[in-house]
Amino acid sequence: MNIQTMYGTTDEIIEKVSNSFGITLDQAKSKCRNEENINARHISMYFLRFHCKLPLRIIADVFNKECHSTIIHGTKKVEDRKTDPSFLFYYNNAIRKLDKI
């Protein structure tokens, strides 16, 4: 599923975030559990939820997840880690890339 938002399509958003972590769109949407994939996936979920105002169910569909609770977990992880300076660096870098869409 690829939805048009005011920031571009959901795939364009995920791809921009993924590129800031040095991974591809497919890697971000995969079930791979390495740190770069998880961070890119969670930041993308957070952006789609709170900046694009997409419903949880739609974001779950974009990431091919069966349950919207996965999206709740991902966005909560971003909120919890925004006080960590190393995570904040990657978060801000990813968000800056989205401003250029």
Side-chain angles (χ1 to χ4, degrees):
M1 176 178 275
N2 193 18
I3 305 291
Q4 181 67 42
T5 72
M6 60 195 234
Y7 294 97
T9 66
T10 52
D11 281 353
E12 289 171 338
I13 291 167
I14 298 166
E15 187 170 31
K16 289 281 188 180
V17 172
S18 300
N19 289 342
S20 70
F21 286 94
I23 64 172
T24 66
L25 169 68
D26 291 335
Q27 288 173 310
K29 286 185 165 186
S30 75
K31 294 182 180 186
C32 184
R33 301 278 307 146
N34 70 34
E35 186 175 4
E36 293 82 13
N37 291 25
I38 292 170
N39 286 335
R41 194 164 36 245
H42 287 174
I43 291 172
S44 297
M45 290 174 181
Y46 184 88
F47 190 85
L48 292 171
R49 178 69 177 144
F50 295 106
H51 293 271
C52 298
K53 308 290 188 214
L54 291 178
L56 295 169
R57 180 72 251 162
I58 297 295
I59 300 169
D61 289 344
V62 166
F63 282 94
N64 299 316
K65 304 293 183 191
E66 293 182 20
C67 184
H68 71 278
S69 63
T70 305
I71 310 308
I72 293 170
H73 171 77
T75 56
K76 182 165 176 19
K77 284 299 214 183
V78 171
E79 289 173 354
D80 293 346
R81 295 187 65 200
K82 279 177 130 179
T83 57
D84 174 11
S86 62
F87 179 79
L88 198 55
F89 170 79
Y90 289 108
Y91 173 83
N92 288 333
N93 188 36
I95 297 302
R96 273 194 296 278
K97 287 187 182 275
L98 292 171
D99 289 338
K100 297 177 183 175
I101 291 182

